[in-house]
Amino acid sequence: MKRSITSVWKLMGLMLFAGATLVSCEKNEDGFEEAEVVSAELAEPSFTNYLIISKEDETSKKAALNFLKNTENISIVRALPEIGMTVINTKDASLLTKAREQNLTVIPDYEIKWIPTAEATQASLADGEYFYDIGYMWGLDAISAPAAWDLGFTGKGASVYVLDSGIDPDHYDLAPNVNTELSISFIANESYVVSDDIGFNHGTHVAGTIAAADTNYGIIGVAPEAELVAVKVLSERTGSGPFSAINAGLMYAGDMGADVVNMSLGATFRKSGWLTDADGNDYHIPAVYIRDIIAAQQRAVNYAVSKGTTVIASAGNDSQNYDGLSSYIKLPGGLNNVVTVSATAPQAYYPGLPDQNFDIPSSYTTHGRSLVDVAAPGGDFDGPSYGLDGILSAGNNNGFYFSSGTSMAAPHVSGVAALVIAKNGKMSPKEVQRQLENSADKVDGNGKSVFLGQGRINALRAVTE
């Protein structure tokens, strides 16, 4: 029986979401300028939370935690002893000097914008229709997901942890698959459950693409029977979050036995020390801080991967070719052991027209053989039918939105990874990536493509070859 859908929300404007990486080879981490000396600039710090990082051996980790626990005027906000990292709160800059004297790395726990804000406009689409059946979810056809479902591959038994801005666990199409007991927030004063007054929510949209259930209501995800776990690492209102929240979210997913982590988020940094804060302001920090931030997040990624979790992230939407761009780095995209995803789209898509090409590189997608592993539908906004060229997925309060970005491409890959793992049982992240790459369609010629990496993913081939 069809259920009435009173409206669909349409995201008008490009959603710029970054992130990505390469599992199969080492990233180029050269290009750092000489480390700048940390000086009295912290005498009156504008930050009160700091990352304290020890060496990775067990003796150093224990010594660091003991020092911090036994030092007055330091409050431990979050301890991540497995990767030698502790978040502290203090207003006494002299204590930071003492920490450095203990051979500990001290950097502010910078809060930056990982997801830009965007305006949305309500648009009325036909009531009571299934959006897949009427052709609005072209991305599923582009990757042959329905053909995989027809063979019984639906992702049942696999789990995908969505590191993002929360989720609406009561959305009709998501509720059957969201594990509310495991879902968690690492953002202060915000639940993983997104507030009712928010319409479009990035995390909810991403989750719908991965694993919206087959409810005959509105949409369906790539892996419609996979388990979804919301791990809130970004504010639902600003798209901002501290590095420590993302690192903690990665560790949590690994500890909970996540099969896949989806990270449709990211930011670009200059290795010489330029950083953009949560308010969009560019400012210079010591280059050594950038290096330490990279090392800390790499530890968190490696920890999750060591637990058997496949980490998938978006490549970014700055239209840049990152081949040879060694003075810049994307996080988490520029790290090792993360699968990088670029975006594809049709040109002026319209349901029902024959012989439409779904594999045009999106106008905004970040690219480069050194960065991108695979490609997936992310949509675009440059055609006369914009909206339909985008990716339709869930919004809060049983709503639906179109959105475009590599943030929309990554969850297609996470869904296919869930199909692969559900079929084969527990797999190492390298095995999962190898299967995704080997089964991808070489739509841009043989070899590794500048825009599409090893090719555009194919769900059917991923579970049958």
Side-chain angles (χ1 to χ4, degrees), residues 38-54 64 67-68 71-77 86-110 286 289 292:
V38 180
S39 62
E41 65 187 82
L42 292 178
E44 297 182 35
S46 57
F47 298 89
T48 55
N49 281 5
Y50 294 86
L51 290 178
I52 310 298
I53 306 170
S54 72
F67 166 75
L68 296 172
T71 301
E72 294 183 356
N73 298 323
I74 284 180
S75 173
I76 294 179
V77 177
T86 307
V87 183
I88 67 165
N89 180 282
T90 184
K91 294 182 180 180
D92 186 347
S94 67
L95 298 178
L96 304 178
T97 301
K98 291 180 180 179
R100 294 189 182 97
E101 290 172 352
Q102 298 293 318
N103 293 320
L104 299 174
T105 296
V106 180
I107 54 175
D109 190 15
Y110 294 108
Y289 283 6
D292 292 336

Side-chain angles (χ1 to χ4, degrees), residues 168-179:
D168 177 4
D170 298 320
H171 191 289
Y172 195 89
D173 283 331
L174 300 184
N177 290 335
V178 177
N179 187 324

Side-chain angles (χ1 to χ4, degrees), residues 315-339:
N317 298 355
D318 56 18
S319 305
Q320 290 289 324
N321 184 341
Y322 270 68
D323 290 340
L325 206 60
S326 61
S327 60
Y328 290 81
I329 186 167
K330 284 188 173 290
L331 292 183
L335 302 178
N336 300 314
N337 295 325
V338 183
V339 181

Side-chain angles (χ1 to χ4, degrees), residues 391-425:
I391 302 299
L392 180 65
S393 190
N396 277 16
N397 306 312
N398 288 323
F400 301 90
Y401 287 77
F402 283 101
S403 186
S404 295
T406 55
S407 278
M408 287 65 246
H412 282 86
V413 179
S414 293
V416 174
L419 298 180
V420 169
I421 294 168
K423 173 197 174 183
N424 296 298

Side-chain angles (χ1 to χ4, degrees), residues 345-348 360-364 379-387 389 404:
Q347 179 68 43
I360 302 169
S362 299
S363 61
Y364 53 79
D380 215 330
F381 59 94
D382 60 347
S385 64
Y386 174 60
D389 282 0
S404 295

Side-chain angles (χ1 to χ4, degrees), residues 15-266:
M15 302 297 291
L16 302 174
F17 307 125
T21 200
L22 218 65
V23 167
S24 56
C25 63
E26 291 295 312
K27 292 288 186 178
N28 178 7
E29 295 187 359
D30 295 330
F32 281 102
E33 295 182 1
E34 287 298 317
E36 299 177 33
V37 177
V38 180
S39 62
E41 65 187 82
L42 292 178
E44 297 182 35
S46 57
F47 298 89
T48 55
N49 281 5
Y50 294 86
L51 290 178
I52 310 298
I53 306 170
S54 72
K55 295 181 180 179
E56 291 193 82
D57 63 276
E58 292 302 317
T59 299
S60 296
K61 291 177 184 177
K62 291 179 180 178
L65 195 54
N66 287 335
F67 166 75
L68 296 172
K69 285 181 176 179
N70 294 311
T71 301
E72 294 183 356
N73 298 323
I74 284 180
S75 173
I76 294 179
V77 177
R78 182 179 295 124
L80 306 173
E82 296 88 349
I83 61 173
M85 194 179 310
T86 307
V87 183
I88 67 165
N89 180 282
T90 184
K91 294 182 180 180
D92 186 347
S94 67
L95 298 178
L96 304 178
T97 301
K98 291 180 180 179
R100 294 189 182 97
E101 290 172 352
Q102 298 293 318
N103 293 320
L104 299 174
T105 296
V106 180
I107 54 175
D109 190 15
Y110 294 108
E111 182 170 329
I112 66 170
K113 185 164 290 188
W114 301 85
I115 300 174
T117 55
E119 296 183 357
T121 303
Q122 182 177 6
S124 177
L125 298 182
D127 290 346
E129 295 180 294
Y130 309 118
F131 296 135
Y132 170 69
D133 289 344
I134 62 176
Y136 287 168
M137 303 188 71
W138 59 268
L140 298 175
D141 292 323
I143 65 171
S144 301
W149 306 334
D150 289 344
L151 296 179
F153 300 108
T154 60
K156 187 174 184 179
S159 62
V160 183
Y161 284 52
V162 183
L163 271 62
D164 215 294
S165 58
I167 198 172
D168 177 4
D170 298 320
H171 191 289
Y172 195 89
D173 283 331
L174 300 184
N177 290 335
V178 177
N179 187 324
T180 56
E181 293 184 0
L182 292 181
S183 294
I184 191 172
S185 175
F186 289 100
I187 298 298
N189 304 316
E190 289 191 23
S191 166
Y192 80 86
V193 180
V194 179
S195 303
D196 289 340
D197 64 326
I198 292 179
F200 175 83
N201 172 257
H202 190 258
T204 300
H205 195 279
V206 166
T209 298
I210 296 169
D214 184 8
T215 62
N216 289 328
Y217 180 57
I219 60 170
I220 186 170
V222 176
E225 290 193 290
E227 178 184 67
L228 289 167
V229 178
V231 182
K232 192 174 200 176
V233 297
L234 306 175
S235 169
E236 64 191 50
R237 299 191 181 277
T238 66
S240 302
F243 285 94
S244 62
I246 295 173
N247 295 344
L250 281 163
M251 292 185 62
Y252 177 79
D255 285 337
M256 294 297 104
D259 291 311
V260 181
V261 156
N262 188 92
M263 300 180 74
S264 289
L265 54 87

